[in-house]
Amino acid sequence: VSLKILLFLADLSVGFSTTKTRTSRCWPPLVGIMAALEHTFATIIYANEELAAIREVKAALLGKGVDESRIGLRSLALTTVNTKCRVAEATDKYIKWLETVEKFGIKGLADEEYNDAVAHMLSSYAMCGLDARGSSIFWIKGGVIEKDQETAAILCGIMYFMAIHADNVSLHEGISFVIDVANQPPKKVGNEQKMQNAWQVFPLRPQRIFISGAGTIKRALINTLLKVASFFTKQKILERIRFATMDEVLTEIPIKSAPLYVGGEGGCVNDIAAW
């Protein structure tokens, strides 16, 4: 019975989706509710063009000598969709991702590679609900990653990254991305640039990027990094970056969806690892 109820809710959420093409059909008070239902229950639906592109990317990877055991169907699909089904670009990004994780002793991006054993590293992230568009919020609150924690941090990052995109709206319409640098620890381990280089290869496609808690000195440093990033990051992505106070961020994100540590309700999720 419970399964039938969940399937019914999934069908209901698809019928009253908050995507741009269907919002007008939804009674306004139900928009947030239906977005949450779709985010939680709805199966991701891939268009025929997307499925074809995913198959082409996999074939291209195999053609370049990538062992099939290193390829995960979830990460492959996400990379393909986030590159808007541009096969050559998706192939290059996936290979770069594989090369990067290999440096941390991770065999590949197969689904079984990331697991609950590394969930203790989730403290770098903050649990959130959905933004006003019904998409996930990727929220980084930072922290120190010791050298002996690097592999676990990367595996955990993959888990979080995949979970954030595990619904129709977030996958197809993009996510909101928040980086809180206010509580960045002064301690330096010596691996900061190494980790930053690794995070940059994740095939992220945010629609909005907020950098919060950056004072004058930090802003100057971040702006310098952005100038360097402009050589290998698309300009339209850089244009989505906005420096903001936490109060300004919270005007853009529903308080119920904001993390607990900034006074929100964390999307009403109590256990980020279980989520």
Side-chain angles (χ1 to χ4, degrees), residues 56-271:
E56 287 185 49
V57 174
K58 184 176 181 181
L61 291 170
L62 296 175
K64 289 179 178 291
V66 176
D67 192 285
E68 189 168 6
S69 65
R70 302 180 66 202
I71 302 172
L73 293 181
R74 296 175 186 174
S75 55
L76 179 66
L78 176 53
T79 302
T80 304
V81 174
N82 270 4
T83 53
K84 296 186 176 181
C85 297
R86 291 186 282 262
V87 174
E89 182 180 346
T91 303
D92 290 342
K93 281 184 175 292
Y94 202 84
I95 289 176
K96 182 65 175 178
W97 201 3
L98 284 171
E99 292 173 343
T100 299
V101 300
E102 189 174 24
K103 295 175 183 177
F104 293 86
I106 301 168
K107 178 183 176 182
L109 295 164
D111 296 339
E112 63 272 13
E113 288 289 334
Y114 35 94
N115 54 64
D116 292 343
V118 297
H120 64 282
M121 297 300 298
L122 283 166
S123 58
S124 296
Y125 307 97
M127 190 64 234
C128 300
L130 307 178
D131 63 18
R133 301 175 304 117
S135 292
S136 295
I137 303 168
F138 193 127
W139 192 297
I140 296 178
K141 60 180 181 180
V144 173
I145 298 174
E146 301 291 349
K147 291 184 179 181
D148 61 354
Q149 297 176 321
E150 291 175 355
T151 298
I154 294 295
L155 285 170
C156 187
I158 296 172
M159 285 177 62
Y160 184 82
F161 180 74
M162 298 297 294
I164 282 292
H165 292 86
D167 66 275
N168 265 321
V169 179
S170 301
L171 178 65
H172 290 106
E173 297 190 17
I175 61 170
S176 290
F177 191 30
V178 180
I179 306 173
D180 184 1
V181 299
N183 299 315
Q184 187 177 16
K187 177 184 176 182
K188 298 295 182 182
V189 178
N191 61 355
E192 288 76 16
Q193 189 60 53
K194 176 184 179 181
M195 298 306 297
Q196 183 59 37
N197 291 341
W199 302 133
Q200 286 177 349
V201 305
F202 280 54
L204 194 65
R205 189 170 58 116
Q207 296 303 305
R208 302 187 301 171
I209 306 171
F210 297 100
I211 300 177
S212 177
T216 303
I217 297 177
K218 282 185 179 178
R219 284 196 184 197
L221 176 60
I222 293 171
N223 277 321
T224 300
L225 294 175
L226 291 177
K227 288 181 180 179
V228 174
S230 65
F231 290 103
F232 52 84
T233 302
K234 292 181 179 179
Q235 185 61 34
K236 66 179 181 180
I237 297 295
L238 296 177
E239 290 172 353
R240 293 171 184 170
I241 297 174
R242 173 184 167 190
F243 287 99
T245 65
M246 187 54 67
D247 286 341
E248 290 172 333
V249 173
L250 294 178
T251 63
E252 301 283 343
I253 292 174
I255 195 64
K256 287 186 177 181
S257 294
L260 295 174
Y261 82 96
V262 296
E265 297 180 22
C268 300
V269 176
N270 297 319
D271 188 340

